[in-house]
Amino acid sequence: MKSFYITTAIDYANAGPHLGHAYEKVLTDVIARFKRLQGFDVRFLTGLDEHGMKVQQSAEKKGIEPQEFVNDIALEFLALLKQLNISNDDYIRTTGERHKVVVQNLLQKLHDQGDIYKDYYHGYYSVRAEQFVLEKEKVDGEWPSIYGEVVEITEPNYFFRLGKYQDWLIEHIKTHEDFIFPKSRANQVLEFLKEPVNDLCISRPRERLSWGISLPFDEDYVTYVWFDAVTNYLSAVAPGTPENEKYWPADYHVIGKDILVPAHSVYWPIMLKAGGIEPPLGFIVHGFWTMSGKKMSKSEGEIVDPFDLIEEFGPDAFRYFVTREMNVGLDSDFTLERFMIRYNSDLANDLGNLLSRLLNMTHRYCGGIVPTASVREEPEAVLLENWGKVQEEVVGLFDGFRFHTALERIFHFISSVNRYAETRAPWKLAKSDAAEDRQRLETALACMAESLRLVAIVLTPVMPDVCERINGLLGTQGVDSWEGNLDWSERMEGNALGKAAILFPKTR
Ligand code: MSP
């Protein structure tokens, strides 16, 4: 079985999760579930980025040890994964031993071969951003407020020879079309690489930052945040263990647009290249959720708490909303109003209603058993044609990460099934004594049942729970693979349907 390794970014352990974190998990989960249905042996990794200055400071403020602080945050992120029904196979924490070993081995190798060297660093350092900042970034002589306090420091540190591998990276990006999705982001990286890249300062003196992994060749230093963070993707499939090794190189790292350049697209591939390890096959770079056009940030107080939405509307309504609204790669604005429109109109009225209509009418007119479809007239021809279009496109859309379009097409089809039910109006046909009308009625219910069977297959990666419930009510099993299961068929005939159920209750 061909392996497929997909990862999310690991979340900073300095604050709890928000909509952006939840979105990235859902997006990655949709891909992982889809790939499993395509027959891949999927390994899906997510985790927590626990070291660094901010965490150390937050813990100090609370008067607790950093480890205790991150342990609490880990519980919040793990609870989110559970509530969202995320199917990750592994969860990595950068304070774990398995991670430390891999980071130190890589550092040692790069040091031994001369790619890491010691030199003086003089510069301006932003405590809040945990990075050195450049004079040219000043606006009207002031540091941008996102940097908080900026201090001037000169200190010996360790550097990684990034520049040495710059030409290789440019060539790699140019010759690997699928390295960065969407493609426009690859141009952004190439633009960045037009200027010579500076060697990367990868250490902090332990006296200033104690919360980190020690450099194996100098105990007075710890590794700087990015070196420790990006390596998680490799440490989770620890080199040297055959059952894990098959997953490397990773197929996709799913990340937000803020951490592509330079951390993921420059530092990480070069670290791997220097270490003699294959780079990942690709990055999927998603945009940002904003609120009323503004960036979500704790300091601005503009945060959507995913837990509230999940509790009120259920995990699948949340999963559906973010997948339907976000065109992967672009930004999207969150409003509760928009969420409610999607919930009421797509989920409750279109999908939920279709199911309850089917269940009600099948019990009323056919003893709860799916009847035979024996008529093929114009309304059926239109319905089948509509399904044909979805069937033709849906796999390609999922494969191309165009989930919002896939969902648009699927829900278009669901609306067309509701229209079909209106056209056929089984409640009117039931009043007729003509044999053909009885056949039309039975055909209508059979076609609605078959439509829902198909819908519950293609929606599974996005709404696994809801689809399982639909399958239960239809008397069908979920499928292990889409292959061969998306053809319009008669296989619902004779199924005993469950009693009417409300999938998406009206909550406000
Ligand atoms: N710890 C680093 C990543 C290290 S990966 C080796 C980090 N953490 S983060 O908690 O700030 O962000 C985690 C992920 O969430 C990132 O991919 C980031 O882009 C994403 N998002 C954070 N806020 C977001 C939105 N408002 N909208 C969508 N995704 C956003 O960066």
Side-chain angles (χ1 to χ4, degrees):
M1 204 191 277
K2 200 179 161 325
S3 66
F4 181 85
Y5 180 32
I6 189 161
T7 67
T8 68
I10 49 172
D11 304 305
Y12 276 135
N14 60 320
H18 60 60
L19 175 65
H21 300 121
Y23 170 67
E24 190 171 293
K25 309 297 177 297
V26 171
L27 170 64
T28 314
D29 191 52
V30 169
I31 301 171
R33 287 177 185 271
F34 170 65
K35 286 289 166 185
R36 289 190 195 106
L37 287 165
Q38 280 193 318
F40 286 88
D41 166 15
V42 172
R43 175 69 68 94
F44 168 10
L45 174 76
T46 181
L48 201 59
D49 188 356
E50 306 185 273
H51 290 128
M53 190 69 92
K54 269 181 258 172
V55 171
Q56 183 175 308
Q57 288 166 341
S58 303
E60 271 163 18
K61 250 189 233 154
K62 270 188 121 180
I64 58 176
E65 287 300 313
Q67 188 65 58
E68 196 183 339
F69 182 85
V70 296
N71 287 350
D72 289 345
I73 298 277
L75 293 178
E76 288 184 47
F77 277 97
L78 286 166
L80 179 72
L81 294 177
K82 188 149 188 265
Q83 293 201 20
L84 277 174
N85 212 348
I86 302 298
S87 63
N88 56 303
D89 303 288
D90 194 0
Y91 192 78
I92 189 148
R93 296 180 52 180
T94 53
T95 48
E97 194 54 31
R98 64 171 168 160
H99 178 62
K100 188 176 147 187
V101 171
V102 174
V103 171
Q104 289 190 327
N105 284 345
L106 183 59
L107 284 164
Q108 187 68 56
K109 181 173 193 318
L110 301 185
H111 185 253
D112 291 350
Q113 69 194 35
D115 280 337
I116 289 177
Y117 60 94
K118 198 171 187 182
D119 203 348
Y120 278 97
Y121 193 93
H122 171 83
Y124 297 102
Y125 184 75
S126 152
V127 178
R128 183 188 292 169
E130 281 182 61
Q131 68 186 57
F132 284 100
V133 291
L134 299 173
E135 184 103 47
K136 67 174 182 195
E137 293 177 73
K138 280 188 175 171
V139 182
D140 299 331
E142 301 281 330
W143 294 108
S145 60
I146 48 157
Y147 288 143
E149 188 192 359
V150 174
V151 289
E152 208 175 337
I153 40 183
T154 302
E155 63 187 18
N157 259 313
Y158 286 89
F159 290 79
F160 172 44
R161 286 188 208 284
L162 276 185
K164 181 173 158 189
Y165 298 94
Q166 180 164 359
D167 289 344
W168 164 80
L169 182 60
I170 294 172
E171 191 56 24
H172 185 82
I173 296 173
K174 286 188 175 162
T175 51
H176 293 75
E177 278 240 317
D178 297 328
F179 193 50
I180 299 171
F181 176 90
K183 287 205 168 65
S184 54
R185 295 266 170 218
N187 296 335
Q188 188 193 339
V189 181
L190 289 171
E191 201 54 41
F192 177 86
L193 289 169
K194 277 190 177 153
E195 300 281 318
V197 293
N198 293 326
D199 287 352
L200 177 68
C201 181
I202 55 136
S203 67
R204 292 290 175 267
R206 178 171 286 286
E207 59 191 19
R208 194 149 56 74
L209 177 67
S210 59
W211 184 235
I213 297 177
S214 300
L215 295 187
F217 42 84
D218 191 340
E219 279 287 318
D220 291 338
Y221 287 86
V222 299
T223 54
Y224 171 55
V225 59
W226 281 113
F227 210 98
D228 168 357
V230 283
T231 316
N232 87 86
Y233 307 128
L234 185 66
S235 29
V237 290
T241 49
E243 69 278 19
N244 285 330
E245 248 175 14
K246 63 179 175 195
Y247 293 107
W248 196 265
D251 289 78
Y252 290 108
H253 295 316
V254 178
I255 55 169
K257 64 177 185 179
D258 58 325
I259 55 172
L260 175 69
V261 188
H264 278 81
S265 59
V266 180
Y267 303 165
W268 181 224
I270 290 183
M271 280 162 66
L272 289 166
K273 173 71 181 167
I277 303 163
E278 269 187 83
L281 300 179
F283 295 96
I284 298 170
V285 187
H286 62 77
F288 259 52
W289 283 96
T290 54
M291 283 202 67
S292 319
K294 278 198 282 178
K295 197 180 164 197
M296 248 179 273
S297 84
K298 269 251 150 85
S299 50
E300 308 256 341
E302 296 276 9
I303 290 273
V304 177
D305 185 343
F307 288 106
D308 294 345
L309 291 171
I310 299 164
E311 193 176 311
E312 186 170 352
F313 302 98
D316 283 0
F318 179 89
R319 294 170 62 107
Y320 172 71
F321 176 78
V322 293
T323 317
R324 172 68 184 83
E325 287 291 306
M326 185 74 108
N327 179 345
V328 179
L330 304 182
D331 292 345
S332 201
D333 198 44
F334 181 92
T335 65
L336 190 59
E337 209 184 339
R338 201 136 183 83
F339 186 93
M340 290 310 302
I341 291 173
R342 288 271 173 229
Y343 183 83
N344 286 326
S345 124
D346 299 7
L347 298 179
N349 288 349
D350 290 350
L351 178 58
N353 213 10
L354 176 61
L355 179 71
S356 40
R357 277 171 136 181
L358 170 73
L359 300 179
N360 280 328
M361 290 195 284
T362 310
H363 281 282
R364 182 167 313 153
Y365 306 126
C366 299
I369 307 294
V370 178
T372 306
S374 54
V375 177
R376 182 79 60 105
E377 292 173 339
E378 172 143 9
E380 285 75 29
V382 172
L383 187 67
L384 263 74
E385 196 186 318
N386 286 340
W387 172 253
K389 284 186 214 147
V390 176
Q391 185 181 4
E392 207 178 290
E393 280 189 317
V394 74
V395 174
L397 289 171
F398 267 76
D399 250 335
F401 316 123
R402 296 185 56 208
F403 305 110
H404 72 297
T405 310
L407 290 178
E408 186 189 10
R409 302 280 202 276
I410 295 167
F411 274 78
H412 213 262
F413 173 70
I414 294 171
S415 300
S416 82
V417 187
N418 276 314
R419 276 200 308 279
Y420 167 76
E422 298 288 336
T423 309
R424 274 309 191 193
W427 52 94
K428 284 188 195 153
L429 294 169
K431 291 184 189 138
S432 158
D433 291 330
E436 307 86 73
D437 282 340
R438 178 69 198 172
Q439 285 174 348
R440 289 190 184 109
L441 178 153
E442 292 183 353
T443 300
L445 296 181
C447 287
M448 287 165 70
E450 176 63 5
S451 300
L452 273 164
R453 177 188 75 82
L454 293 164
V455 161
I457 294 177
V458 288
L459 285 181
T460 294
V462 181
M463 298 204 281
D465 255 4
V466 162
C467 291
E468 206 179 309
R469 283 183 64 200
I470 297 177
N471 283 324
L473 292 162
L474 293 180
T476 49
Q477 301 277 320
V479 296
D480 295 337
S481 157
W482 281 9
E483 184 97 21
N485 283 312
L486 296 186
D487 294 332
W488 186 273
S489 74
E490 318 272 287
R491 57 182 112 162
M492 288 296 294
E493 191 180 319
N495 270 21
L497 301 189
K499 288 272 182 235
I502 296 179
L503 285 183
F504 303 99
K506 287 246 157 28
T507 64
R508 341 181 153 200

